[in-house]
Amino acid sequence: MSIWIKGGELVNPEKGVIEQSDIIVERGRISKILPRGVFGEQGSRLTTVDATEKLVVPGLIDMHVHLREPGEEYKETIATGTLAAVAGGYTSVACMPNTKPPNDNRSVTEFILRQAGEAGLARVYPIASITMGQKGRMLTEFGDLKEAGAVAVSEDGYSVVDSGLMRRAMEYANYHGLAVICHCEDRSLSGGGVMHEGVVSTRIGLPGIPAASEEIVVFREIALARLTGTPVHIAHVSTEGSVNLIRAAKGEGVSVTAETAPHYFTLDHNALIGYDTRYKVNPPLRTPADVQAVKQGLADGVIDVIATDHAPHSAIEKDVEFDRAAFGMIGLETALPLTLSLVREGVLGLAEAFRKMTCNPAGILGIGGGSVREGAPADLAIIDPDAEYGLMEEDFHSKSKNSPFIGRPLQGWNDLTMIGGKIVWQKNSNHPGC
Amino acid sequence: MAEFSHKDLLGMGQLSIEDIELILDTAESLKVISTRDIKKVPTLRGKSVVHFFYEPSTRTKTSFEIAAKRLSADTVSLSASTSSMVKGETLIDTARNLEAMSPDLIVLRHSSTGAPHLLAREVRASVINAGDGINEHPTQALLDLFTIRERKGRIKGLKVVIIGDIAHSRVARSDILGLTKMGAEVTVAGPPTMIPVEMETLGVKVVPDPRDAVRGKDVIMLLRIQLERQSAKIFPSTREYARFFGVDRQLVSRAKKDVIVMHPGPINRGVEIIPDVADGPHSVILDQVANGVAVRMALLYLLIGGKQSVDLD
């Protein structure tokens, strides 16, 4: 089947340009990109997708999600998680290894890929753990995991406490061409904390997590990247100090990249007043000054990627006392409008915003996608930048509903998602995978 | 008479100056009941009060029980070890089950900050926070305010110092909120490991050394040093704490002549307070305990007593 995507504004994040171009999709690939109006009569036999007043963008790539399968299928499955992904405009997701059992060996990686294949929605790229069982003692078999399909290693949710072991992990990952993703947290400082340590934690009586617990490990990972020459990627940057450390490291040529998540540039620790566990995330929501610094880091390129840290939890983990509740919020279905609000605020240009959700994460993970060019697989999203509404709980495709953005009117929503030339999601269609 | 418009008492932060004055005035009029031969009035006859203590407590629980009984309410006590919590039931499920039995008021003590707020959202019954995590203990603050007002005739303009583990004390946070709201000038003292970050934003002065902090003060409030905190590395030993931060007669003599010394109990004799001081002329520690009953009676009456006037006969 051939498809003519007609009348849209084509965002090309790689080139940093927005063009009025039509796209012809044939045999799963982008066969032609033509200036609007050039393609006419001969298109009448093609299936037409009208993208008038819409943005046509490369399918979004989320390099930080939790799909919970295997082990916690009551929170999310690979099928429901990838459905949430395509609903949000994502065509590829990289899933973290903290499943039960953790993704620390080939059989788990293969299982994830098999389930993703059966779901037939977003492309799934497994991230393996750095150590067996995420225990911080023995390295996993990076080579075997890479062969099985893992694209990166990360201890996810933990930092590798042993700096010597982390050094060896970086050296070894570099040899196998695996990206190294670092969750930065010194648990001897953060242990017992449930929110950012600051004026709000003092006021509302919750144990705090100081910014230093993140920054100490960011500093260490940068030092190890310098020592080993291995590129490292810092996950979910949340503090001004981290942004400054990464900025300085990039300035001296250390191979470091970084991501943040929409909640870190949208919400601050004042949201915790009222003890709503949907705002409990790790790292925690920080101060308004940190939010500003994260935005500045996005604006000046210190932060390369916007990822979601999509972390589904059920009522069992969330409808409990605040200190007993699990950390994390879902994000796949709200990241796009929250990021587009940065464009409206003038923090990011449109093409730049999409770079951080497409070609930048693709480059760091060394996976395909994230670009629009003739011959590339037709992974695309069509976005209505003007649509403004809020998602109700029942509108979410994720199995879990732990989002603080439920009911909040947001602007700029995904209309249609295409993967490999196949339309896998369309708004107001009851047929996922149609 | 002013109206008390709250369904629950979750923290001092929610109360206005007028609310606090109303509670203290009501407590004053109810205090006489405890001095009578027959210490009981029928005000809350037919009302049921559940005392739900997830954490061990002797003083607070007994005080609430006595307060409810003096007003003729029916009381039931649950503790963590006897409740379904040990069987894995969640707080919300426990709340819904209690709610199904239509209590009028639930008093909750819980180790988690915000637990009473969660409970209050789930039940129609009134909820009193009897201490949540390291957050608040509003009835303690109210009985402290009552005791200060009784002894000093006023709260506004008084100089109060709180010494001890401010960071991990729900009593300190509630007292700070209540005292500053009522116009007292509050200073906190103690080792920096026990002072939370950005403390000044709560409207208090931080003067770590008690020898400086007590100067010119009308009230010295002490906090119990939780000995289990020693393992969390916030102080090296009780001996060292007593030496540098414990309150002895010499320290008291640096405050105003008529200073009162308060402590929420239970006291660690020889650690944060030297026995001489605990039992000495400045101590009002047992007045606090007596006043606790009156203040809790006032709260029960204001929250579930309906519109009838206080029946003292």
Side-chain angles (χ1 to χ4, degrees):
Chain A
M1 186 178 71
S2 303
I3 299 173
W4 176 17
I5 300 170
K6 183 182 168 185
E9 306 276 324
L10 178 63
V11 180
N12 187 332
E14 265 184 325
K15 288 190 191 156
V17 296
I18 295 152
E19 306 157 335
Q20 299 190 327
S21 295
D22 291 1
I23 291 180
I24 309 295
V25 175
E26 285 176 302
R27 287 180 299 279
R29 290 181 180 270
I30 295 172
S31 66
K32 282 192 181 61
I33 299 173
L34 301 161
R36 189 185 297 171
V38 169
F39 199 67
E41 284 301 303
Q42 68 271 47
S44 55
R45 62 195 163 74
L46 303 183
T47 306
T48 306
V49 172
D50 182 9
T52 308
E53 296 186 351
K54 307 273 168 70
L55 302 174
V56 180
V57 304
L60 307 182
I61 297 172
D62 190 347
M63 67 183 294
H64 194 145
V65 302
H66 299 269
L67 297 179
R68 303 297 186 215
E69 189 179 354
E72 292 179 307
E73 292 82 357
Y74 68 99
K75 295 181 180 180
E76 193 83 287
T77 62
I78 288 168
T80 60
T82 51
L83 178 57
V86 297
Y90 287 92
T91 54
S92 297
V93 296
C95 57
M96 283 293 172
N98 67 332
T99 45
K100 290 180 181 171
N103 183 12
D104 63 4
N105 67 80
R106 171 188 277 272
S107 65
V108 178
T109 301
E110 286 172 348
F111 171 79
I112 291 167
L113 289 171
R114 195 162 60 242
Q115 293 297 88
E118 274 179 30
L121 294 163
R123 301 180 199 271
V124 173
Y125 295 95
I127 299 167
S129 63
I130 293 173
T131 67
M132 292 307 293
Q134 296 179 282
K135 300 272 187 232
R137 288 193 281 274
M138 285 168 57
L139 293 181
T140 56
E141 295 175 331
F142 289 5
D144 206 35
L145 286 157
K146 164 94 177 179
E147 268 185 12
V151 295
V153 289
S154 175
E155 204 71 329
D156 175 58
Y158 303 91
S159 292
V160 175
V161 175
D162 182 332
S163 301
L165 183 61
M166 190 61 187
R167 171 200 180 160
R168 299 307 177 205
M170 285 188 190
E171 290 168 339
Y172 195 52
N174 202 12
Y175 172 79
H176 283 294
L178 287 163
V180 178
I181 302 171
C182 307
H183 169 109
C184 297
E185 178 183 2
D186 183 335
R187 294 232 165 172
S188 69
L189 280 167
S190 65
V194 296
M195 69 172 292
H196 175 67
E197 180 174 312
V199 49
V200 178
S201 68
T202 292
R203 199 177 126 206
I204 69 173
L206 285 171
I209 300 172
S213 87
E214 174 175 321
E215 291 153 4
I216 282 172
V217 184
V218 169
F219 181 84
R220 185 195 74 171
E221 309 304 41
I222 288 169
L224 291 175
R226 192 188 290 116
L227 174 68
T228 63
T230 302
V232 299
H233 177 76
I234 308 295
H236 41 51
V237 168
S238 73
T239 79
E240 183 176 8
S242 297
V243 174
N244 290 340
L245 286 165
I246 297 161
R247 181 180 287 115
K250 284 187 166 186
E252 57 170 292
V254 179
S255 188
V256 56
T257 54
E259 80 192 24
T260 192
H263 40 280
Y264 299 116
F265 58 72
T266 308
L267 302 168
D268 65 54
H269 61 166
N270 285 294
L272 277 301
I273 297 170
Y275 310 110
D276 185 339
T277 58
R278 291 176 306 170
Y279 294 100
K280 183 177 174 183
V281 287
N282 186 22
L285 301 178
R286 305 286 189 181
T287 69
D290 292 307
V291 172
Q292 278 313 312
V294 166
K295 285 185 184 181
Q296 189 57 47
L298 284 164
D300 58 24
V302 170
I303 299 175
D304 310 86
V305 172
I306 295 171
T308 65
D309 197 2
H310 179 80
H313 289 295
S314 77
I316 297 170
E317 291 79 27
K318 283 294 193 180
D319 283 358
V320 294
E321 297 88 328
F322 195 90
D323 57 353
R324 292 170 197 209
F327 290 99
M329 64 171 73
I330 55 170
L332 280 166
E333 295 174 76
T334 50
L336 174 63
L338 293 169
T339 301
L340 288 174
S341 78
L342 289 183
V343 175
R344 283 191 301 277
E345 276 180 50
V347 174
L348 292 175
L350 189 62
E352 188 56 27
F354 283 106
R355 276 183 78 81
K356 294 181 196 293
M357 301 176 95
T358 58
C359 51
N360 284 359
I364 292 163
L365 295 176
I367 60 175
S371 61
V372 274
R373 58 167 185 266
E374 290 177 0
D379 285 11
L380 298 165
I382 299 179
I383 291 158
D384 182 347
D386 301 318
E388 189 173 3
Y389 52 86
L391 290 187
M392 293 299 132
E393 197 173 307
E394 59 274 17
D395 297 328
F396 282 84
H397 297 79
S398 175
K399 208 167 193 175
S400 292
K401 315 295 176 190
N402 54 313
S403 168
F405 299 109
I406 289 171
R408 185 187 289 208
L410 301 170
Q411 192 184 335
W413 293 91
N414 180 46
D415 256 7
L416 181 148
T417 308
M418 176 185 288
I419 297 176
K422 185 176 156 210
I423 296 171
V424 293
W425 191 84
Q426 207 163 358
K427 193 160 81 185
N428 301 329
S429 152
N430 292 323
H431 306 289
C434 58
Chain B
M1 202 177 182
E3 286 243 352
F4 195 71
S5 57
H6 303 275
K7 168 183 169 272
D8 312 297
L9 176 66
L10 302 178
M12 293 303 288
Q14 76 182 71
L15 299 178
S16 65
I17 295 173
E18 293 71 32
D19 288 332
I20 293 172
E21 280 170 349
L22 175 62
I23 294 164
L24 302 188
D25 292 345
T26 308
E28 207 170 294
S29 63
L30 291 169
K31 192 178 172 182
V32 62
I33 295 169
S34 298
T35 64
R36 290 178 182 165
D37 189 26
I38 309 285
K39 301 180 184 60
K40 201 173 183 87
V41 292
T43 313
L44 296 185
R45 198 161 50 197
K47 301 279 185 183
S48 26
V49 175
V50 177
H51 294 123
F52 197 0
F53 281 67
Y54 268 78
E55 252 188 6
S57 158
T58 310
R59 186 179 342 263
T60 305
K61 191 172 169 193
T62 309
S63 181
F64 267 110
E65 289 265 1
I66 288 179
K69 291 198 157 104
R70 292 208 170 141
L71 294 172
S72 301
D74 298 316
T75 66
V76 184
S77 279
L78 302 173
S79 65
S81 54
T82 60
S83 75
S84 303
M85 196 193 142
V86 291
K87 299 175 188 165
E89 188 172 61
T90 66
L91 178 61
I92 287 185
D93 283 329
T94 306
R96 287 175 184 159
N97 280 278
L98 286 176
E99 175 77 355
M101 296 182 243
S102 313
D104 296 286
L105 188 141
I106 301 171
V107 176
L108 179 70
R109 157 73 59 95
H110 199 289
S111 58
S112 296
T113 290
H117 306 69
L118 183 65
L119 180 70
R121 279 198 292 273
E122 289 294 322
V123 298
R124 282 188 303 275
S126 291
V127 174
I128 294 180
N129 178 1
D132 65 323
I134 58 169
N135 182 36
E136 280 227 50
H137 191 353
T139 61
Q140 178 70 41
L142 288 163
L143 74 88
D144 288 345
L145 290 172
F146 185 91
T147 306
I148 293 171
R149 195 176 81 162
E150 190 178 62
R151 283 302 183 116
K152 298 286 180 187
R154 68 191 166 104
I155 297 165
K156 198 179 163 95
L158 291 180
K159 293 184 162 62
V160 182
V161 59
I162 307 176
I163 306 172
D165 188 357
I166 312 292
H168 302 97
S169 171
R170 53 193 172 213
V171 174
R173 187 167 286 94
S174 283
D175 272 326
I176 288 166
L177 292 170
L179 285 163
T180 52
K181 190 164 286 178
M182 300 308 284
E185 199 180 285
V186 181
T187 302
V188 298
T193 52
M194 296 183 178
I195 308 287
V197 297
E198 315 245 22
M199 193 61 204
E200 292 85 353
T201 57
L202 293 186
V204 303
K205 268 193 263 183
V206 179
V207 181
D209 189 339
R211 287 168 301 184
D212 300 327
V214 298
R215 263 182 222 289
K217 295 297 185 289
D218 301 287
V219 180
I220 298 173
M221 299 180 115
L222 303 177
L223 301 171
R224 193 176 84 84
I225 288 303
Q226 292 164 285
L227 301 176
E228 63 275 17
R229 294 268 173 216
Q230 203 175 340
S231 62
K233 307 170 191 115
I234 68 169
F235 66 106
S237 66
T238 52
R239 175 181 167 274
E240 171 132 328
Y241 185 86
R243 186 158 162 230
F244 291 94
F245 301 97
V247 173
D248 55 17
R249 262 201 269 187
Q250 202 192 350
L251 194 71
V252 173
S253 70
R254 288 168 169 259
K256 280 195 184 161
K257 257 201 177 109
D258 61 348
V259 68
I260 57 172
V261 176
M262 307 176 75
H263 192 301
I267 62 176
N268 295 307
R269 287 175 180 267
V271 184
E272 72 269 7
I273 188 164
I274 304 307
D276 276 6
V277 174
D279 308 326
H282 298 283
S283 169
V284 297
I285 295 172
L286 295 177
D287 297 77
Q288 290 173 271
V289 178
N291 291 335
V293 174
V295 163
R296 290 176 177 117
M297 286 169 75
L299 286 165
L300 292 172
Y301 167 71
L302 290 169
L303 286 169
I304 60 168
K307 299 272 184 242
Q308 79 267 42
S309 60
V310 186
D311 184 357
L312 294 180
D313 304 317

